[in-house]
Amino acid sequence: MQRLKKFFSDIFREMRKVSWPKRKELTRYTITVLTTVAFFAIFFGVIDLGISKLIRVILE
């Protein structure tokens, strides 16, 4: 039980040392991540569509 208590105590101590991003930084990072995810989703969707059509043409 003592080890568990020390473990959580250490966690709280380390969390106080963390440098959390400011609101402006967090907004910028969030927009960057969402834009990147959207770009790759569209990119791979187009690639998948192209490969699917190519395979259909080859098989017909």
Side-chain angles (χ1 to χ4, degrees), residues 1 5 12 19 22 24 48 58:
M1 187 66 173
K5 194 174 183 180
F12 289 124
S19 173
K22 305 291 183 231
K24 190 174 182 179
D48 183 50
I58 291 172

Side-chain angles (χ1 to χ4, degrees), residues 5-22:
K5 194 174 183 180
K6 181 177 175 356
F7 173 73
F8 283 111
S9 173
D10 290 342
I11 288 176
F12 289 124
R13 189 176 311 118
E14 288 297 320
M15 290 300 285
R16 279 189 233 119
K17 296 178 185 178
V18 172
S19 173
W20 297 101
K22 305 291 183 231

